[in-house]
Amino acid sequence: MTSPESVFDHSEYDTIVIGGGPAGATAATLIAQAGHRVLLLERDQFPRHKVGESLMPACWDTLERLGMIDRLQESHFPKKYSVQFFSRNGKASSPFYFSDVSCADHPQTWQVVRSEFDHMMVENARAHGVEVHHGVNVREVLFAEGENGSQKAVGVRVRTEDGSTTDLASKVVVDASGQSAMISRRLGLQEDDPKLRNASIYTYFKGGQRDEGRDEGATLIMHTQHQKTWFWYIPQPDDTVSVGVVGPQDYLVRPPKRPPQEVFEEELLQCPGLLPRLAAAQQTRPVQVLRDFTYKAKQRAGDGWVLVGDAYGFVDPLYSSGVFLALKSGEMAADAIHQALEAGDLSAQRLGTFEAEFLRGMEAIRKLVYAFYDRDFSFAQFLERHPEHREDLVHILIGNVFRDGVDDLFKPMAEMAKLPVSWA
């Protein structure tokens, strides 16, 4: 490998993390906390805009390990205590309060500004000893032939802001590159869920109506009258709300191609639960369009490499699981990498020890997404027939999906809704 430019502190690392989002920052911080030399490379300068503002309560334990709780408690981010659903006619369900689960240790979370939250996470990584560089573009992951002819990750090739190219060696490479999914795409590992090929159009409003008391920071999920799409409504600081519409890509971004703003406004007129809340509000940003495909990689880890966050997989944004799964995958990966480095065993089997546990939790969220999109299924009717499963449902809305019995909810639900064949 070529000698690195002086911008880097070392030429070899125990772990190089590609990407400074929540998954990458989590993995980097926890590996560094365990005493290993960690380099985090992010191509963008922070703070940067990012959608996905709502945190699940189950983020708490990981954030506590990272040393982030005090900073969040002192922040201006609205506190979130519940999720509430609205029917196609605008009728509101009773809120699903996270405190309804008897064993919920932390029944409160936050609605964050992602540009601020992600910046806080990266700076926290730096404070825990991670070497952080922004404006560095990872051009490729470097592989060498390992045992039995397998391909083993041995480092990365990067281009710095001055245009120079450098090779850096690492015992483990963590791909946290988001939907760029560098390793998964290179190795042809990605598999999509053909029934969840959605898109979203989103923007921000100032002056939108909020509920009072502990309901002020709730995430609201609202059906449209034709039930082809749904809206999220997420309170933000400074009297701002994040508002987005989600639906099948071939419907929402459909030919003949029309301006996304026009499509957003047309769908808004179909959402009686949302219209009154925005009657006196002003849109503050142009709409943006995102692809919300649900997918995962066929393999979580290989010799010398691990996938975390969206580089491994993504589930529809319905239940705001993106940041939670990013944090949890980063945490699980960090623990596996630390143990592998200590044992001197950087094999795919050792680095991917957490895959089955993680996938089971991810599957629980995907099944609940399928139930929501089934037009013949009603959560209200399901809970009328099976009131004993209300707590199981709230468990998943909290993010408490890595527990025994998480699948018990889906046995009776499968009798009323079309659920997916398991990826596990």
Side-chain angles (χ1 to χ4, degrees), residues 280-324:
Q282 295 294 320
Q283 185 175 335
T284 59
R285 294 188 190 179
V287 297
Q288 291 187 248
V289 181
L290 287 178
R291 187 185 84 157
D292 291 328
F293 288 4
T294 294
Y295 63 90
K296 76 167 187 68
K298 300 174 185 177
Q299 187 177 336
R300 160 69 71 179
D303 294 347
W305 59 265
V306 182
L307 310 180
V308 298
D310 288 359
Y312 171 70
F314 176 79
V315 178
D316 189 274
L318 174 60
Y319 300 116
S320 304
S321 61
V323 175
F324 165 66

Side-chain angles (χ1 to χ4, degrees), residues 209-248:
Q209 177 188 328
R210 302 194 189 206
D211 296 325
E212 297 180 351
R214 66 172 176 165
D215 296 329
E216 182 181 359
T219 292
L220 307 182
I221 303 296
M222 302 179 175
H223 275 291
T224 50
Q225 287 179 312
H226 52 50
Q227 291 188 292
K228 296 177 182 178
T229 58
W230 61 270
F231 277 85
W232 76 68
Y233 189 89
I234 298 174
Q236 295 277 274
D238 304 322
D239 198 27
T240 296
V241 289
S242 170
V243 182
V245 58
V246 179

Side-chain angles (χ1 to χ4, degrees), residues 113-127:
V113 179
R114 280 293 302 277
S115 58
E116 297 178 28
F117 177 76
D118 289 9
H119 185 62
M120 289 166 62
M121 290 281 289
V122 168
E123 289 307 302
N124 184 64
R126 195 192 306 273

Side-chain angles (χ1 to χ4, degrees), residues 75-373:
S75 73
H76 65 158
F77 301 146
K79 292 182 178 180
K80 170 186 170 185
Y81 295 92
S82 64
V83 177
Q84 190 173 22
F85 296 86
F86 289 72
S87 73
R88 57 184 292 185
N89 297 319
K91 182 180 178 181
S93 71
S94 297
F96 288 90
Y97 291 109
F98 307 135
S99 57
D100 288 349
V101 175
S102 57
C103 62
D105 295 329
H106 307 291
Q108 174 256 305
T109 184
W110 294 270
Q111 310 282 24
V112 300
V113 179
R114 280 293 302 277
S115 58
E116 297 178 28
F117 177 76
D118 289 9
H119 185 62
M120 289 166 62
M121 290 281 289
V122 168
E123 289 307 302
N124 184 64
R126 195 192 306 273
H128 282 86
V130 177
E131 182 185 340
V132 178
H133 291 275
H134 292 275
V136 175
N137 190 6
V138 178
R139 305 296 295 169
E140 63 176 308
V141 177
L142 302 174
F143 288 86
E145 187 171 335
E147 296 181 6
N148 302 319
S150 65
Q151 291 293 297
K152 178 181 179 180
V154 295
V156 297
R157 178 164 295 149
V158 303
R159 186 171 64 195
T160 55
E161 285 189 300
D162 65 4
S164 61
T165 300
T166 300
D167 290 355
L168 298 167
S170 184
K171 296 175 183 176
V172 180
V173 175
V174 176
D175 186 352
S177 63
Q179 294 191 3
S180 297
M182 292 188 65
I183 291 178
S184 179
R185 291 183 186 277
R186 171 172 173 169
L187 300 181
L189 298 177
Q190 186 168 307
E191 55 180 346
D192 293 342
D193 184 328
K195 292 187 178 296
L196 294 176
R197 298 178 66 85
N198 292 332
S200 60
I201 303 174
Y202 72 94
T203 184
Y204 297 84
F205 289 84
K206 203 170 188 68
Q209 177 188 328
R210 302 194 189 206
D211 296 325
E212 297 180 351
R214 66 172 176 165
D215 296 329
E216 182 181 359
T219 292
L220 307 182
I221 303 296
M222 302 179 175
H223 275 291
T224 50
Q225 287 179 312
H226 52 50
Q227 291 188 292
K228 296 177 182 178
T229 58
W230 61 270
F231 277 85
W232 76 68
Y233 189 89
I234 298 174
Q236 295 277 274
D238 304 322
D239 198 27
T240 296
V241 289
S242 170
V243 182
V245 58
V246 179
Q249 186 182 38
D250 59 4
Y251 169 78
L252 205 59
V253 190
R254 59 191 182 279
K257 190 172 183 179
R258 293 182 300 138
Q261 179 70 38
E262 182 180 320
V263 176
F264 181 90
E265 292 173 359
E266 182 180 285
E267 294 303 309
L268 180 59
L269 292 174
Q270 291 286 325
C271 192
L274 181 54
L275 281 170
R277 292 177 178 268
L278 296 179
Q282 295 294 320
Q283 185 175 335
T284 59
R285 294 188 190 179
V287 297
Q288 291 187 248
V289 181
L290 287 178
R291 187 185 84 157
D292 291 328
F293 288 4
T294 294
Y295 63 90
K296 76 167 187 68
K298 300 174 185 177
Q299 187 177 336
R300 160 69 71 179
D303 294 347
W305 59 265
V306 182
L307 310 180
V308 298
D310 288 359
Y312 171 70
F314 176 79
V315 178
D316 189 274
L318 174 60
Y319 300 116
S320 304
S321 61
V323 175
F324 165 66
L325 292 175
L327 293 173
K328 201 65 185 178
S329 66
E331 179 182 18
M332 289 181 171
D335 291 340
I337 290 167
H338 166 59
Q339 294 165 9
L341 288 169
E342 292 293 291
D345 177 5
L346 305 177
S347 65
Q349 182 176 6
R350 187 64 182 256
L351 291 172
T353 52
F354 64 99
E355 181 168 10
E357 179 185 5
F358 182 84
L359 187 55
R360 186 177 67 160
M362 186 175 174
E363 272 289 288
I365 296 170
R366 186 169 74 109
K367 288 176 182 177
L368 207 64
V369 168
Y370 263 68
F372 176 88
Y373 283 120

